[in-house]
Amino acid sequence: MTNPLFYAKIILFGEYGMIEDSQGLVVPYSFYKGTLKYSDLASEFEKKSNHHLQKYSDYLADLSFSEDFKLDIDHFKADIANGLFFDSNIPQGYGVGSSGALVAAIFEKYSVEKLNPETISKENLKNLKAVFGEMESYFHGKSSGMDPLICYMNLPILIENKENLDKVAIPDGQAGKGAIFLIDSGITGETGPMIQIFFEKMKTEGFRKTLKEEFIRYNNACIESFLKKDMNPFFRNLKKLSHWAYEHFRPMIPESIFNIWKKGLDSNAYYLKLCGSGGGGYILGFTQDYEKAEKMLDGFQKEVIYRF
C-alpha cells in the first residue's frame, strides 16, 4: 500500500501577524509534495533522511500526548530500521512547509486513533494544531503547528485569532488576467533568525503600535475581501500591506528583491509580500495583469499559484 502524499503550504496572509493575533489564511500547494517510503537506502539522500528520522523518533518518544493523539513510536522506529525515509521535493528554507509535510505524514501513519480531516471538529482542530506545534518544534525551536496542520488537512484554513481556526472555502480560481504567483529569491532563508529579528523589533513600542494599528488592519481586510472575491478593496489594502512590509520588514526582504518590491509599489503593476518568515526562499506576488507583471519581472523565476 502506498502512503499518502502531503502537499506544501503557502501562507497567503498573516505571516508574523498571527503571532500577535492577526487573522491568517493558509492554503495547500500541490506543486510540491512529500511521502514516506521504504528503500534499501542506497542513495545519499535516502540514507540522510533515514538518519534524520532516527533522531526525530527519539525526540517524539520523549513527548507525551493525550490518548486521542498518541503515536505508535515503536512501530515508527521499526519502520526506520527497515529503511523508511521521507521522499520530498518540497524545497527547504523556502517558506512552503517542508518540515510541516514531514510532521503531517508521520502523524497520519503512526497516530493510534485515526482522524478524518473532512469531519474533524473545530475544537479538535485546535487541539491537533497544539500537538503539531510540539512535534514541529524539533525543527524550528518553537512552532505554532500551523504548517503541519495545513499539510495534514490539505484544505484552506482561516485563522481567526490565536484561539480559533476553521476550514474555509476560497473562491474558485478562473482563467483571468490576474494572478497570485511566487518569485524565487534565489537564496534559502532560515526561519529561526528571522523570528528572532521580529521579536527584537517587538521590543520597541513604535513597532508594536504600527503592527497592531496598521499591519493587522490591512492584513485582515485583505483576507476578508479576498474570500468575498471583492478585488477593488483587496488590491487597495494589499498595496498598503506591501508598503508597510517594505518599510518595517526590511531585514526579512532578500536583497535581490528590494528593487522589484519598490518597482511594484511605484507602478501599481503588482504588489509583493513575504511568503512565510522571509530572509530568502519565495516571495508572494499579486497582480491584476500577470502578463504585464511578468514582463516587468523578467529574469526572476516565477510560478503562478492562482488565477482570477
Side-chain angles (χ1 to χ4, degrees):
M1 194 183 100
T2 58
N3 290 315
L5 290 167
F6 288 89
Y7 298 127
K9 66 89 190 85
I10 289 173
I11 298 176
L12 283 184
F13 294 99
E15 76 294 341
Y16 290 111
M18 286 190 280
I19 298 171
E20 291 302 307
D21 231 14
S22 81
Q23 290 184 357
L25 182 62
V26 192
V27 296
Y29 182 42
S30 60
F31 186 77
Y32 293 120
K33 46 194 141 332
T35 188
L36 290 165
K37 283 183 179 175
Y38 299 91
S39 83
D40 55 6
L41 307 180
S43 84
E44 201 48 47
F45 173 83
E46 292 167 6
K47 209 177 291 172
K48 210 169 157 187
S49 174
N50 178 266
H51 178 65
H52 284 319
L53 290 181
Q54 277 175 39
K55 284 163 70 174
Y56 187 44
S57 69
D58 294 336
Y59 168 82
L60 292 179
D62 290 337
L63 295 179
S64 55
F65 295 131
S66 68
E67 285 302 313
D68 294 353
F69 300 108
K70 268 218 169 359
L71 296 176
D72 187 344
I73 300 295
D74 292 339
H75 183 189
F76 183 32
K77 283 183 176 286
D79 283 350
I80 293 167
N82 285 325
L84 187 75
F85 75 103
F86 189 57
D87 188 18
S88 164
N89 71 346
I90 305 171
Q92 293 185 344
Y94 264 66
V96 287
S98 53
S99 58
L102 171 61
V103 168
I106 290 168
F107 182 84
E108 196 279 333
K109 189 169 172 64
Y110 298 104
S111 56
V112 178
E113 296 287 327
K114 297 300 176 197
L115 299 170
N116 178 356
E118 295 286 343
T119 57
I120 194 166
S121 71
K122 198 170 171 177
E123 188 55 36
N124 245 357
L125 208 57
K126 202 163 80 176
N127 297 335
L128 185 57
K129 178 175 171 279
V131 168
F132 282 151
E134 290 213 33
M135 288 177 72
E136 202 190 25
S137 289
Y138 173 80
F139 302 98
H140 296 316
K142 183 150 177 57
S143 162
S144 67
M146 186 49 67
D147 285 12
L149 185 69
I150 301 297
C151 298
Y152 177 75
M153 298 292 290
N154 196 28
L155 295 164
I157 299 281
L158 173 67
I159 297 94
E160 293 156 14
N161 50 43
K162 274 183 185 168
E163 291 303 309
N164 296 303
L165 59 148
D166 211 351
K167 295 166 281 192
V168 69
I170 65 168
D172 287 337
Q174 59 193 54
K177 285 177 77 172
I180 301 175
F181 57 97
L182 296 173
I183 299 175
D184 189 342
S185 70
I187 56 166
T188 55
E190 282 186 60
T191 301
M194 293 297 115
I195 288 180
Q196 205 53 50
I197 291 169
F198 176 75
F199 282 122
E200 277 304 309
K201 280 175 157 291
M202 283 299 287
K203 288 176 184 174
T204 65
E205 197 188 331
F207 181 77
R208 284 200 308 273
K209 194 173 187 299
T210 181
L211 183 89
K212 285 190 162 66
E213 290 176 5
E214 296 179 88
F215 176 87
I216 289 177
R217 185 155 51 95
Y218 306 148
N219 176 78
N220 293 1
C222 281
I223 293 173
E224 191 186 338
S225 48
F226 178 71
L227 291 176
K228 287 180 181 166
K229 222 170 178 179
D230 203 347
M231 286 308 172
N232 285 337
F234 176 66
F235 274 93
R236 203 165 51 241
N237 282 292
L238 189 58
K239 179 172 186 175
K240 290 174 183 169
L241 190 65
S242 180
H243 187 268
W244 189 95
Y246 184 75
E247 295 290 319
H248 298 282
F249 279 161
R250 276 295 174 98
M252 290 83 156
I253 300 172
E255 259 180 63
S256 58
I257 301 293
F258 270 155
N259 291 341
I260 58 164
W261 194 299
K262 182 85 165 62
K263 199 170 155 186
L265 287 168
D266 291 344
S267 64
N268 294 317
Y270 59 86
Y271 302 124
L272 303 185
K273 65 183 292 297
L274 298 177
C275 180
S277 58
Y282 287 119
I283 296 293
L284 267 167
F286 299 78
T287 180
Q288 288 178 292
D289 185 345
Y290 184 66
E291 217 172 284
K292 183 181 176 184
E294 193 179 27
K295 285 194 183 91
M296 289 175 71
L297 294 164
D298 191 38
F300 285 88
Q301 208 179 321
K302 299 167 289 291
E303 289 169 31
V304 172
I305 59 171
Y306 183 83
R307 296 299 304 232
F308 57 87

